[in-house]
Amino acid sequence: MTHLWRGVIREYSDRLNVTDATPVVTLGEGGTPLIAAPALSRRTGANVFIKYEGMNPTGSFKDRGMTMAISKAVEHGAQAVICASTGNTSASAAAYAVQAGVTAAVLVPEGKIALGKLSQALAHNASLLQVQGNFDDCLDIARELSANYPVHLVNSVNPDRIEGQKTGAFEVVEQLGKAPDFHFIPVGNAGNYTAYHRGYKEFAESGISDRVPRMFGFQAEGSAPMVLGYPVKDPETIASAIRIGNPASWELALSARDDSKGYFGAISDAKILEAHRVLSAEVGVFAELASAAGVAGLLERAAAGEIPNGATVVITVTGHGLKDPQWALRNEEGGEAQPTVVAVDVAEVAAALKLVPTQGAE
């Protein structure tokens, strides 16, 4: 009998902080595909899989945590929620708030949010304010507002968010039939890095899997506080979703790294762009730019000889390419890619496609 996916709270209620009194606010998040990536396997010698979180309802992994955060907020009587965001959190918070019938207020850095994400938040009727500062400024304000006004904070500093996001690791183990040897993931606020490690550890402690994978997290070079060991005051990278200088889950992520014998690395914008093209042109996965940081990290670590041949590797691709499609429109030289224009003529179309007539064709 076909199983109808019910969203992560109902699917994993025995492993989440919910009771019969918790109203389940869901858009059917989770259940995302784990995709074999033979092109990446050939490049690295590992067995590589993509956990494609762009297939969540609002197009990013944030939905896993937001179903928990909004459900618990409503359980506690909240009438309004607030978040700071580089984009994906705003889209998710707005959508789940609509589903719950509560108000969403969103603070985003002025001029630092991709159009696809901005449009989602506005479409879901969020009260959106662009702050003349960076993400960290937005989060500071959101925290202060939630401490002094009747609004519920739903950023990843909210432990309910981490709880929801750990379900991604549950799915990986169930889909693979085991935990991978390595898990690669982009790092911005470091909540997802923390959450996957927590999920893997819980399954290992329950005897469902036999290991906790080594967690490898990657930041952009211009926004790499976890690598540098101190906050970055003015973070800068083309990968807007990880343009965060002072991660909210810093200490939790450091503990996850140490427990898993993991690693934090910094990747250049050029390498992130290169990995973005590899994902779309060789694997068939269209991702937002920041999502490619984990792929870039795998390619870099494999080139450094750090990934054994035959190791099982999972990479979380955190968001869909339609979030920020402008990068797909750039050619290899950095200019704007243009389609080839042809006349209404079969021979001209065939020539443009470099096709040779089949034998016997006129």
Side-chain angles (χ1 to χ4, degrees):
M1 183 177 181
T2 302
H3 172 68
L4 177 64
W5 185 262
R6 301 169 297 165
V8 299
I9 293 179
R10 291 192 175 99
E11 295 294 331
Y12 298 109
S13 60
D14 59 330
R15 296 186 173 276
L16 297 171
N17 180 28
V18 294
T19 68
D20 291 342
T22 305
V24 179
V25 181
T26 181
L27 293 171
E29 63 293 317
T32 57
L34 186 71
I35 303 168
L40 291 174
S41 297
R42 287 191 295 271
R43 283 174 172 262
T44 62
N47 296 316
V48 183
F49 297 84
I50 301 296
K51 183 61 170 165
Y52 190 20
E53 290 291 271
M55 298 302 286
N56 275 297
T58 75
S60 87
F61 76 95
K62 302 286 186 176
D63 295 344
R64 291 183 184 274
M66 203 58 68
T67 183
M68 273 292 293
I70 299 292
S71 294
K72 296 298 285 187
V74 173
E75 182 179 358
H76 295 145
Q79 296 298 308
V81 297
I82 191 168
C83 69
S85 180
T86 55
N88 283 327
T89 299
S90 68
S92 187
Y96 281 81
V98 165
Q99 176 77 342
V102 300
T103 300
V106 174
L107 306 179
V108 300
E110 185 180 26
K112 299 291 186 178
I113 176 174
L115 182 61
K117 303 169 189 179
L118 180 65
S119 63
Q120 283 182 285
L122 292 173
H124 296 308
N125 294 324
S127 296
L128 191 144
L129 300 177
Q130 295 199 59
V131 177
Q132 293 176 327
N134 59 32
F135 169 83
D136 302 299
D137 298 321
C138 294
L139 183 55
D140 287 343
I141 294 171
R143 280 172 148 166
E144 189 166 340
L145 286 170
S146 68
N148 296 288
Y149 296 84
V151 290
H152 193 91
L153 185 65
V154 293
N155 277 99
S156 58
V157 293
N158 179 331
D160 295 321
R161 282 276 309 279
I162 305 298
E163 278 292 286
Q165 287 166 210
K166 75 182 181 184
T167 61
F170 297 165
E171 289 178 25
V172 170
V173 173
E174 291 169 349
Q175 290 165 324
L176 269 183
K178 62 179 182 178
D181 299 304
F182 296 85
H183 193 111
F184 282 71
I185 195 165
V187 173
N189 235 354
N192 215 26
Y193 182 99
T194 301
Y196 268 88
H197 172 260
R198 183 178 298 177
Y200 283 128
K201 190 163 187 178
E202 287 184 11
F203 260 24
E205 289 174 346
S206 298
I208 298 172
S209 63
D210 63 355
R211 70 177 73 101
V212 174
R214 297 183 66 189
M215 296 293 304
F216 278 38
F218 289 86
Q219 300 185 294
E221 283 183 348
S223 181
M226 304 295 296
V227 179
L228 296 170
Y230 54 82
V232 176
K233 184 178 180 181
D234 296 305
E236 193 51 61
T237 171
I238 58 175
S240 61
I242 55 174
R243 191 190 289 128
I244 295 172
N246 190 15
S249 296
W250 191 314
E251 294 302 322
L252 289 172
L254 286 179
S255 296
R257 179 200 63 184
D258 294 344
D259 183 73
S260 72
K261 298 181 175 59
Y263 174 85
F264 288 121
I267 294 291
S268 70
D269 282 358
K271 290 296 184 183
I272 291 174
L273 266 172
E274 181 182 315
H276 181 261
R277 294 190 185 103
V278 169
L279 262 178
S280 57
E282 297 184 25
V283 181
V285 170
F286 188 28
E288 69 169 309
L289 206 54
S291 295
V295 176
L298 171 62
L299 296 174
E300 187 268 336
R301 289 288 85 195
E306 296 295 322
I307 309 301
N309 281 340
T312 300
V313 175
V314 170
I315 311 170
T316 296
V317 171
T318 47
H320 201 286
L322 292 176
K323 293 277 191 173
D324 194 5
Q326 71 185 71
W327 300 104
L329 300 177
R330 292 196 175 191
N331 58 31
E332 296 291 339
E333 293 74 38
E336 186 174 342
Q338 296 288 344
T340 301
V341 178
V342 295
V344 185
D345 182 85
V346 172
E348 187 171 337
V349 171
L353 295 173
K354 297 181 174 58
L355 298 176
V356 177
T358 53
Q359 190 172 8
E362 294 184 0

